[in-house]
Amino acid sequence: MGTKGREIVGMDVKKVLELLNKAFADEWLAYYQYWLGSKVVSGPMKDAVIAELMQHAADELRHADMVTTRIIQLGGTPLLSPQEWVKHTNCGYDAPKDPFVQRILEQNIKGEQCAISVYNKMIQEVGMKDPVTYNMAIQILQDEVEHEEDLQALLEDLGVILKK
Ligand code: FE
Ligand code: FE
Ligand code: MG
């Protein structure tokens, strides 16, 4: 990382890196959960749900990319093996054991709600002490809020169908 770029970080860089690596683990697990969910999901409105899950998977992978870029800028090392994702994740991994649409949507909504908390906390903690990380976290938070809303809208539409 550039020396001036590091100098302006007004807090312990190690602490920022720890937050970033935990979020990095979350993003990979979220990516995999969406990706696999889009393959196994079954039930009513399947096509609409698959399209949304695939789009979200792509977003989570893009988030992993954004977080890694920042980790490397700060002179850190992204978690080097998938085993470490499980060890450092905030939000965990919810295997899509039941492929029914409603269950898959509920699992991913839970994941998004966790992601919203994680990035909101990062924003509070980092604040203007590290404006670059702050800006990254805001961009990701905006996506996670949209993800939650999209999934809850699908669940609502599905509820209408299931009640018939
Ligand atoms: Fe994400
Ligand atoms: Fe998300
Ligand atoms: Mg969406």
Side-chain angles (χ1 to χ4, degrees):
M1 176 195 189
T3 44
K4 188 65 182 172
R6 194 184 306 127
E7 208 181 284
I8 62 164
V9 176
M11 64 183 283
D12 185 7
V13 172
K14 260 169 67 189
K15 178 64 197 164
V16 183
L17 285 169
E18 193 192 309
L19 294 174
L20 288 170
N21 253 323
K22 289 174 78 66
F24 177 74
D26 291 335
E27 294 295 354
W28 271 108
L29 292 171
Y31 164 73
Y32 187 66
Q33 192 174 314
Y34 272 123
W35 182 86
L36 191 60
S38 80
K39 306 294 175 192
V40 300
V41 70
S42 68
M45 283 175 44
K46 197 179 126 187
D47 290 347
V49 172
I50 289 175
E52 199 67 54
L53 297 178
M54 281 172 63
Q55 202 187 87
H56 289 196
D59 287 339
E60 308 307 359
L61 193 56
R62 187 169 46 80
H63 294 164
D65 197 280
M66 290 164 75
V67 175
T68 325
T69 299
R70 188 58 187 148
I71 289 172
I72 289 166
Q73 274 180 356
L74 287 171
T77 308
L79 299 177
L80 293 173
S81 74
Q83 288 93 314
E84 292 189 85
W85 301 344
V86 181
K87 229 165 55 200
H88 296 278
T89 176
N90 302 289
C91 298
Y93 176 75
D94 223 355
K97 285 179 200 138
D98 178 352
F100 188 57
V101 270
Q102 183 179 2
R103 192 62 204 113
I104 298 271
L105 287 171
E106 284 166 355
Q107 283 180 322
N108 287 310
I109 288 167
K110 203 180 101 212
E112 292 299 343
Q113 289 174 342
C114 180
I116 289 169
S117 301
V118 165
Y119 287 105
N120 189 47
K121 255 169 75 191
M122 189 186 289
I123 288 163
Q124 307 305 324
E125 218 167 321
V126 167
M128 283 305 145
K129 291 182 291 257
D130 179 356
V132 178
T133 299
Y134 178 86
N135 182 52
M136 178 216 75
I138 286 178
Q139 286 182 50
I140 297 177
L141 179 63
Q142 282 172 339
D143 289 341
E144 310 301 17
V145 166
E146 197 181 304
H147 287 170
E148 183 203 28
E149 193 176 4
D150 290 345
L151 299 178
Q152 285 182 336
L154 279 171
L155 196 59
E156 218 175 282
D157 293 349
L158 186 68
V160 174
I161 291 172
L162 292 174
K163 257 178 234 156
K164 269 189 208 159

